[in-house]
Amino acid sequence: MKLAYWMYAGPAHIGTLRIASSFKNVHAIMHAPLGDDYFNVMRSMLERDRNFTPVTASIVDRHVLARGSQEKVINNIARKDKEEKPDLVILTPTCTSSILQEDLSNFVQRASLETESDVILADVNHYRVNELQASDRTLEQIVTFYIDKARKKKTLDLRKTIKPSVNIIGVLSLGFHHHHDLVDLKRLFNDLDIEINQIIPENASVSELSKLPKAWFNFVPYREAGLSTAEFLSKEFNMPFVNITPMGLLNIKSAVQRIQAILLQLNCHRNYDDYIDLQTKYVSQAAWFSRSIDCQNLTGKTAIVFGDSTHAAAMTKILVKEMGIHVLWSGTYCINDQKWFRSEVQELCEKIVITDDHNIIGDMIAKTEPNAIFGTQMERHIGKRLNIPCGVISSPVHIQNFPLSYKPFLGYEGTNQIADLIYNSFTLGMEDHLLDLFGGHDTTEFLTDTLSSGSCVQWSSEALKELTKIPGFVRGKVKRNTEKFASANNYNIISLEVMYEAKEKVSN
Amino acid sequence: MQTSIHNNTTFECETGNYHTFCPISCVSWLYQKIEDSFFLVIGTKTCGYFLQNAMGVMIFAEPRYAMAELEEGDISAQLNDYEELKRLCLQIKKDRQPGVIFWIGTCTTEIIKMDLEGIAPKLEADINIPIIVARANGLDYAFTQGEDTVLAAMAHRCPTGNSKQLTAETDSTKPNQLIIFGSLPDPVVKQLSYELKKQNINVKGWLPSARYSELPTIEAGDYVIGVNPFLSRTATTLMRRKKTKLISAPFPIGPDGTHAWINKICSIFNIIPEGLNERENKIWESLEEYIQLIRGKSVFFMGDNLLEISLARFLIKCGMIVYEIGIPYMDKRYQKAELELLVKTCNDMNIKMPKIVEKPDNYNQLDRIKDLQPDLVITGMAHANPLEARGINTKWSVEFTFAQIHGFTNSKDILELITRPLRRNDGLKHISNNIYITHDAKN
């Protein structure tokens, strides 16, 4: 047993449902107790979906416990087949059905005899994989199913498109800014004069999946979902794939160069160098922005990064290499992907944190006191308590991270968005300067709004008053440094003198 | 579909394919109500994910609840349940020092037959903190019924005083005493107690109280009454185990309900209520501006929190037409007085008695909604946005469980909630018509 009240990645069935509900005309039936259909609320609330989420439950209740589901699952599948006429029904196991150990695959076989729609059982184990792994697995499973089906019916179309083309794999519902990213990815491939063969699973039709091999190569924007599918297609049809996330100028450049190399292998000579240069300098404002004098104030500022492996790795790279910000540590909760994550960021920061325990992250933030945090909603709340600004860069997120306006994280427009996010997260340059000069505008006496209090050193009233004059965003740090200094030197009371002495002797 | 006739009321029962919150959600309001409590939900990531998302910002306020997340070793019994729970509860004791720990059993603990009731007394003696076990799982219960399982378990812990045989004397020494059950926010507790005090009725205690240590003494023969329609197990426990006398009354929701509730209590104690009619009339007068917005309009309850009968009864009294009352579970004995008031209200208002659909089927209901085109659908969040996109006004049912809706004072709040979608959507008429579905939508 584990004591927990917050988790970064959800349970496995959420991943399966995200894939199922992303496709067009695919219906998921959960084998679950009453109340487990909370996914529908998230779709309806977070994404403000106008349609009913195509997910229903085949309810596991007392009777099912006593006698087994028997015909119930099969009837529910058959019923949905008639009511909604989906192309595919995915029977989705949950934690409950995992331990009931009913033969769900038998139900699927029997049901598919009666139904017009295809029926498959999502092959995910609740106790072994999380939401992200399950989404990756389910997408691969669906693609494999339809490739096999086409192969049997001999309708598999392996002829490549005439012009270079790509499949974009892994754009999902409830994904962090996925819909905005997709717009910018389309623009990118349009600019590169590459046709988009298919985008899966977002709004895709399963009947079209047999045409996936027509593309020249595959593109996987996010590591969390799509890699398995790309690997499967690579193995089966020798389709190359690019899995460099085009987030940040350097990553976009690498991704485009990789695409160029792949096209070259396929005897298509393209040179994107001028395109990259033009976009970097004039379409994206991020490079120029970093160079502009206002951003000098960001020099030496510190940040920490935490999120899924895709976004945390890319963000770390942007902060360090594109904005010149000092990243104290960078981490991910994608424990299964830590090898890749470590290799990506080890040159960029002093420390790498791999954990899915938010307490560890909270304590680390309190201890390292960055100027800004780039993390998930959890880190935003930690930041609120510690009075450290936070830019949200990764799931898990709230409704506010499903913005109405166009806010991609990928592609050249994404670089602009990210630059804004970073810049706005730090205190603005001139404001920063003036606060220093005039002792700040925040003179409230909240001095214990930090996680790590509990020092036994007393402050004299004079010193305390002086402390209030220090600008809010560094006050906690000054306070703790002074306290550390005082206890190290056996001062019981921090007077003005001790405070000044600490300032002189403690280096930041 | 099964149909039964009960006092010319039509009850139907559908498939039970409906959306509701998992009953473990009760921890979110109970931990706030019982200040020295700690709720440990013994379940899986699925339960945790639900709580984390359903409770929104509350999760960041260092709530006094946590998951005991079961891992594969727990399921296959490679780990010892007792030792695991002991380790976690000692951690909780160290970090939070609660006055009581609630273990919330879930679907998983049911299926693997984890003997929580058996382990709890042993561990309680070991670590010296009361441990109360409530099985609030989705196999058996819906949403607010979670609170019912917790309160029923708490009822066992209420002190019995000196456990003397009840005599006529003890009755006369403490006249007009009453124990009320149901978790309500503090202001509402004060308001209702005050209303009763005005009638010279003393509230001996509330189950639950603000602290575990202040649980009321319950003696055999005490009168008890519920404030919420979903508390049938608690009522049963109080009657059978604690030998109390249950006052069956409509629930104090809406001025009519509150009047009936107080009236019934008074009649038990042979008190002629004073000023109750005037009080109710005053409240109705103050509601008139809201009632104007809904009079003659129709409403459809999809059903997910068991407040439906009481709310429907109040809305009918306000002049609305109710097409359907969906409800997860209908205890006709516990809700008897409420059902009778509903029938009476329909007669008074001269409208047809709505059908009551137990264990509804959401898919079928959506069909009926499409046909009936009600002015308002009271529904869960899974259906609200899709219905709005189809031009149907909706109100999220969950809000009724979190808002203050009991007593005379809060009647306005119910109507504030009910009329909000109507007032809002009225103001948006100028933008375009109110259909927003996408072109490829199936229905």
Side-chain angles (χ1 to χ4, degrees):
Chain A
M1 280 181 210
K2 212 166 85 181
L3 195 63
Y5 71 91
W6 168 268
M7 65 189 81
Y8 285 103
H13 70 268
I14 298 288
T16 296
L17 298 180
R18 284 177 60 194
I19 296 291
S21 62
S22 299
F23 276 109
K24 221 163 30 189
N25 214 22
V26 170
H27 201 100
I29 294 186
M30 299 167 68
H31 188 237
L34 195 64
D36 270 5
D37 59 351
Y38 192 73
F39 177 78
N40 298 34
V41 175
M42 295 180 63
R43 269 278 291 211
S44 170
M45 296 306 290
L46 297 179
E47 294 215 313
R48 300 177 194 88
D49 200 327
R50 301 170 193 214
N51 292 319
F52 295 102
T53 305
V55 174
T56 44
S58 175
I59 303 280
V60 175
D61 56 15
R62 267 299 144 187
H63 298 293
V64 171
L65 280 199
R67 302 176 302 140
S69 296
Q70 297 188 342
E71 301 300 310
K72 198 171 183 181
V73 174
I74 297 167
N75 289 344
N76 275 319
I77 294 173
R79 179 183 163 188
K80 218 25 88 178
D81 178 55
K82 287 201 188 69
E83 284 169 353
E84 302 273 308
K85 301 188 174 41
D87 297 327
L88 170 67
V89 174
I90 301 179
L91 182 59
T92 310
T94 59
C95 59
T96 307
S97 60
S98 281
I99 43 177
L100 283 178
Q101 300 194 323
E102 286 193 272
D103 191 356
L104 294 180
S105 59
N106 176 36
F107 293 157
V108 162
Q109 267 176 8
R110 284 168 54 202
S112 59
L113 297 175
E114 303 172 25
T115 54
E116 295 284 315
S117 38
D118 297 315
V119 189
I120 63 174
L121 170 66
D123 175 25
V124 291
N125 180 328
H126 175 90
Y127 293 94
R128 304 264 165 95
V129 296
N130 66 22
E131 170 190 357
L132 304 172
Q133 294 161 295
S135 62
D136 191 44
R137 172 79 196 99
T138 304
L139 184 58
E140 184 204 358
Q141 201 188 346
I142 295 173
V143 169
T144 310
F145 179 85
Y146 280 98
I147 295 282
D148 283 350
K149 193 178 173 190
R151 197 177 264 145
K152 275 186 201 127
K153 287 165 76 183
K154 302 202 188 316
T155 53
L156 202 57
D157 189 354
L158 293 175
R159 285 169 307 170
K160 295 289 170 198
T161 55
I162 296 160
K163 280 182 69 179
S165 63
V166 61
N167 298 318
I168 299 175
I169 301 177
V171 181
L172 333 183
S173 77
L174 291 171
F176 181 72
H177 292 245
H178 276 203
H179 293 123
H180 306 285
D181 286 347
L182 183 58
V183 176
D184 225 60
L185 287 176
K186 283 179 180 169
R187 180 188 295 168
L188 179 70
F189 284 112
N190 185 47
D191 287 353
L192 298 177
D193 195 24
I194 293 172
E195 283 175 358
I196 292 172
N197 183 50
Q198 296 214 359
I199 296 162
I200 62 168
E202 188 53 45
N203 212 22
S205 166
V206 286
S207 57
E208 303 279 299
L209 290 176
S210 59
K211 293 180 190 157
L212 281 173
K214 292 180 78 67
W216 289 31
F217 69 101
N218 291 315
F219 190 78
V220 183
Y222 315 102
R223 295 188 62 75
E224 287 72 27
L227 266 186
S228 296
T229 307
E231 275 156 12
F232 164 77
L233 292 170
S234 159
K235 208 174 77 203
E236 288 289 306
F237 306 108
N238 204 20
M239 289 177 81
F241 65 88
V242 179
N243 65 340
I244 301 169
T245 305
M247 180 170 152
L249 293 166
L250 292 169
N251 270 357
I252 300 174
K253 187 175 177 183
S254 312
V256 172
Q257 283 171 340
R258 178 75 65 81
I259 291 167
Q260 185 176 314
I262 283 173
L263 294 183
L264 188 63
Q265 277 169 11
L266 300 168
N267 281 324
C268 171
H269 296 265
R270 291 273 177 89
N271 187 337
Y272 293 127
D273 291 352
D274 290 346
Y275 170 74
I276 293 171
D277 199 50
L278 184 80
Q279 294 284 323
T280 304
K281 281 194 166 157
Y282 301 105
V283 175
S284 167
Q285 298 294 319
W288 162 239
F289 181 65
S290 302
R291 179 88 199 171
S292 70
I293 53 160
D294 200 29
C295 275
Q296 280 180 10
N297 287 48
L298 295 183
T299 317
K301 292 259 163 137
T302 58
I304 66 99
V305 182
F306 192 78
D308 64 22
S309 49
T310 297
H311 289 90
M315 197 64 192
T316 307
K317 194 182 264 185
I318 293 168
L319 286 167
V320 175
K321 289 193 165 172
E322 297 178 22
M323 308 280 284
I325 287 159
H326 184 50
V327 174
L328 299 170
W329 52 271
S330 170
T332 181
Y333 56 84
C334 297
I335 296 172
N336 59 307
D337 201 22
Q338 59 174 302
K339 204 173 142 204
W340 176 83
F341 186 80
R342 282 179 196 280
S343 70
E344 278 294 293
V345 302
Q346 65 188 2
E347 305 289 315
L348 304 173
C349 58
E350 295 151 30
K351 201 170 169 189
I352 296 169
V353 187
I354 311 287
T355 182
D356 56 2
D357 182 345
H358 73 277
N359 287 311
I360 293 177
I361 297 302
D363 288 349
M364 291 259 318
I365 293 173
K367 215 162 68 194
T368 48
E369 294 169 44
N371 296 120
I373 301 167
F374 297 95
T376 72
Q377 274 295 336
M378 191 66 202
E379 284 69 49
R380 193 174 73 85
H381 280 264
I382 294 168
K384 259 189 185 168
R385 284 174 49 197
L386 295 173
N387 208 6
I388 301 171
C390 177
V392 175
I393 55 139
S394 159
S395 293
V397 290
H398 281 173
I399 194 157
Q400 69 204 65
N401 303 106
F402 290 88
L404 303 179
S405 56
Y406 178 50
K407 285 195 159 57
F409 271 65
L410 305 189
Y412 285 107
E413 177 54 27
T415 63
N416 294 336
Q417 295 288 342
I418 294 169
D420 276 343
L421 180 74
I422 295 172
Y423 184 71
N424 293 338
S425 295
F426 291 99
T427 313
L428 302 181
M430 205 53 182
E431 189 188 352
D432 191 350
H433 188 62
L434 291 174
L435 282 170
D436 258 353
L437 206 63
F438 296 115
H441 47 53
D442 181 5
T443 49
T444 47
E445 294 226 4
F446 291 104
L447 296 172
T448 51
D449 50 357
T450 54
L451 284 178
S452 51
S453 63
S455 143
C456 54
V457 198
Q458 300 268 315
W459 284 74
S460 77
S461 56
E462 271 174 294
L464 211 53
K465 204 171 159 195
E466 187 68 12
L467 192 61
T468 60
K469 291 182 191 157
I470 292 164
F473 57 97
V474 286
R475 192 184 302 144
K477 189 169 186 171
V478 170
K479 179 170 180 264
R480 271 185 300 277
N481 276 341
T482 313
E483 283 171 356
K484 267 185 237 162
F485 173 81
S487 56
N489 290 283
N490 293 323
Y491 293 123
N492 290 326
I493 290 178
I494 297 173
S495 59
L496 270 181
E497 284 90 328
V498 176
M499 204 176 162
Y500 294 145
E501 197 185 343
K503 193 184 173 192
E504 285 155 21
K505 293 191 178 160
V506 178
S507 57
N508 286 316
Chain B
M1 192 184 284
Q2 299 156 10
T3 310
S4 71
I5 308 289
H6 171 93
N7 292 348
N8 47 25
T9 315
T10 317
F11 293 98
E12 288 177 5
C13 185
E14 283 190 304
T15 62
N17 268 318
Y18 63 101
H19 164 75
T20 183
F21 272 14
C22 173
I24 59 171
S25 51
C26 68
V27 305
S28 68
W29 64 86
L30 287 174
Y31 91 81
Q32 294 185 50
K33 173 71 196 178
I34 309 166
E35 291 161 10
D36 56 348
S37 63
F38 191 96
F39 284 80
L40 185 66
V41 182
I42 304 163
T44 61
K45 254 187 187 317
T46 307
C47 315
Y49 197 66
F50 164 70
L51 280 179
Q52 165 175 333
N53 285 294
M55 298 317 135
V57 288
M58 275 201 267
I59 203 90
F60 300 108
E62 294 236 3
R64 291 186 315 280
Y65 66 82
M67 291 293 308
E69 195 185 313
L70 299 169
E71 292 165 296
E72 206 163 5
D74 298 303
I75 303 302
S76 54
Q78 285 165 340
L79 299 170
N80 179 304
D81 296 339
Y82 181 83
E83 290 304 324
E84 291 295 298
L85 284 166
K86 185 175 176 182
R87 183 170 56 82
L88 265 47
C89 288
L90 282 173
Q91 175 88 41
I92 293 164
K93 186 182 176 184
K94 191 174 130 241
D95 292 351
R96 309 294 182 100
Q97 291 144 345
V100 56
I101 297 177
F102 288 89
W103 286 355
I104 304 295
T106 61
C107 303
T108 310
T109 57
E110 286 297 308
I111 295 169
I112 64 172
K113 299 195 164 56
M114 193 181 278
D115 183 19
L116 297 177
E117 279 92 347
I119 297 173
K122 234 173 107 194
L123 191 56
E124 178 171 317
D126 251 18
I127 67 169
N128 209 16
I129 291 183
I131 296 172
I132 297 180
V133 180
R135 302 178 179 201
N137 63 68
L139 295 168
D140 300 306
Y141 305 111
F143 196 8
T144 48
Q145 286 180 290
E147 175 181 320
D148 193 24
T149 65
V150 173
L151 297 193
M154 278 182 94
H156 289 286
R157 301 297 184 110
C158 289
T160 35
N162 296 330
S163 66
K164 268 187 294 183
Q165 270 293 320
L166 182 83
T167 59
E169 295 160 14
T170 49
D171 249 351
S172 59
T173 50
K174 300 175 210 158
N176 308 343
Q177 289 243 52
L178 179 68
I179 292 155
I180 304 177
F181 58 96
S183 166
L184 293 178
D186 241 28
V188 185
V189 166
K190 291 212 179 74
Q191 287 156 10
L192 286 179
S193 303
Y194 174 67
E195 299 288 353
L196 291 172
K197 203 175 162 67
K198 281 201 284 194
Q199 307 299 342
N200 198 24
I201 292 162
N202 299 309
V203 180
K204 185 177 165 190
W206 284 76
L207 174 69
S209 45
R211 299 185 71 81
Y212 176 71
S213 51
E214 293 160 7
L215 274 183
T217 307
I218 301 181
E219 282 158 288
D222 277 347
Y223 281 105
V224 296
I225 190 166
V227 283
N228 267 322
F230 45 77
L231 298 172
S232 42
R233 280 174 67 92
T234 310
T236 312
T237 308
L238 288 170
M239 282 193 293
R240 297 207 182 136
R241 297 300 179 87
K242 292 295 201 176
K243 311 288 179 215
T244 59
K245 295 181 211 155
L246 177 71
I247 303 172
S248 175
F251 300 99
I253 293 170
D256 48 341
T258 309
H259 182 146
W261 189 73
I262 296 172
N263 217 19
K264 187 65 185 281
I265 297 170
C266 288
S267 74
I268 295 290
F269 295 116
N270 289 319
I271 292 169
I272 296 161
E274 269 173 42
L276 212 49
N277 289 327
E278 294 81 353
R279 180 107 172 89
E280 188 190 345
N281 290 338
K282 272 265 156 40
I283 297 292
W284 283 115
E285 273 169 38
S286 71
L287 298 179
E288 185 51 31
E289 71 172 303
Y290 289 101
I291 292 175
Q292 276 176 11
L293 294 168
I294 53 175
R295 195 172 279 139
K297 294 225 160 79
S298 56
V299 59
F300 189 111
F301 286 88
M302 286 186 79
D304 71 347
N305 61 13
L306 284 93
L307 294 171
E308 291 87 0
I309 303 283
S310 310
L311 287 173
R313 178 259 302 150
F314 169 52
L315 293 182
I316 290 169
K317 191 81 183 173
C318 290
M320 290 190 90
I321 298 148
V322 177
Y323 285 150
E324 175 167 332
I325 308 176
I327 186 167
Y329 169 73
M330 181 71 233
D331 185 334
K332 289 166 201 159
R333 282 180 61 195
Y334 177 63
Q335 294 220 42
K336 185 163 175 283
E338 182 63 86
L339 280 169
E340 284 165 3
L341 183 58
L342 173 68
V343 174
K344 183 178 173 293
T345 306
C346 287
N347 288 336
D348 288 352
M349 302 302 291
N350 199 20
I351 71 155
K352 211 175 126 233
M353 174 72 190
K355 66 173 176 178
I356 296 170
V357 180
E358 225 184 323
K359 287 168 151 256
D361 185 298
N362 280 169
Y363 189 87
N364 296 342
Q365 285 184 315
L366 291 173
D367 253 4
R368 298 198 284 271
I369 288 168
K370 214 169 133 191
D371 292 342
L372 294 164
Q373 293 287 317
D375 294 307
L376 183 67
V377 173
I378 297 177
T379 181
M381 290 190 278
H383 297 113
N385 267 338
L387 281 171
E388 289 281 347
R390 283 153 185 77
I392 305 268
N393 299 317
T394 61
K395 184 73 229 141
W396 311 337
S397 51
V398 180
E399 282 193 86
F400 294 103
T401 52
F402 293 124
Q404 306 190 349
I405 60 170
H406 292 78
F408 288 126
T409 321
N410 298 308
S411 303
K412 194 178 257 171
D413 291 51
I414 305 175
L415 292 187
E416 177 75 29
L417 288 176
I418 291 286
T419 57
R420 192 172 294 161
L422 305 171
R423 284 178 286 139
R424 197 270 313 260
N425 292 354
D426 236 28
L428 301 177
K429 277 190 296 215
H430 332 282
I431 305 176
S432 81
N433 78 13
N434 49 12
I435 306 295
Y436 286 90
I437 43 173
T438 46
H439 295 295
D440 54 351
K442 275 190 157 179
N443 47 40

